[in-house]
Amino acid sequence: MIRKPDRYRHTSVLLAVVSLAVVGCGDGPATTATLAELAADPRAYTGRQVRVFGVLRTYPDPQHYWIEDAQLNRVEVEFHEVLDPWVGQPVQVQGRFSYQLSAGRRIAVDRLDPLPRREAP
């Protein structure tokens, strides 16, 4: 017996292949790095999702924020919420890292979590 092609079966296979391709194109898990590592080799992390710890600092004119470690390695943080309540506090930041010679090191923050002082490195 010869069967007619089942167009729905082909559609299901195509949807499964497309779903796997989309999952494979995700950013994947964030790489945990130190501020010293980001400062030493910023091009190695450019475009990658990173997770990093530091103390949140700010400057008012123009208003901007960064995180830094005890050795003053710094990365600017770009976040769309007011961060003033956490200035001076240790935080964990996760987001996409970028580096440009003219603009410096930055993280477009997806997540910022204040930490108890003992958890920050």
Side-chain angles (χ1 to χ4, degrees):
M1 176 171 129
I2 300 174
R3 294 179 7 157
K4 293 182 181 177
D6 181 359
R7 70 174 180 224
Y8 297 109
R9 181 181 55 167
H10 296 294
T11 302
S12 297
V13 170
L14 179 61
L15 286 174
V17 170
V18 169
S19 296
L20 287 173
V22 169
V23 169
C25 292
D27 291 330
T31 299
T32 300
T34 65
L35 290 170
E37 290 169 331
L38 296 177
D41 193 6
R43 288 184 176 93
Y45 294 93
T46 296
R48 294 174 60 188
Q49 288 286 329
V50 298
R51 179 181 310 110
V52 66
F53 302 90
V55 176
L56 185 66
R57 304 287 186 207
T58 189
Y59 189 78
D61 189 21
Q63 183 74 48
H64 62 283
Y65 299 92
W66 68 90
I67 56 173
E68 65 183 31
D69 61 17
Q71 293 74 39
L72 300 181
N73 293 300
R74 296 174 174 150
V75 175
E76 182 178 355
V77 294
E78 297 174 339
F79 202 54
H80 300 291
E81 293 185 28
V82 175
L83 299 176
D84 291 341
W86 298 284
V87 170
Q89 301 282 332
V91 294
Q92 173 182 292
V93 173
Q94 183 171 321
R96 183 168 308 283
F97 180 79
S98 64
Y99 170 74
Q100 294 177 344
L101 189 58
S102 62
R105 298 179 299 268
R106 292 185 177 158
I107 297 176
V109 176
D110 295 325
R111 182 177 178 146
L112 185 141
D113 295 305
L115 299 173
R117 291 198 185 274
R118 60 182 153 67
E119 288 187 29

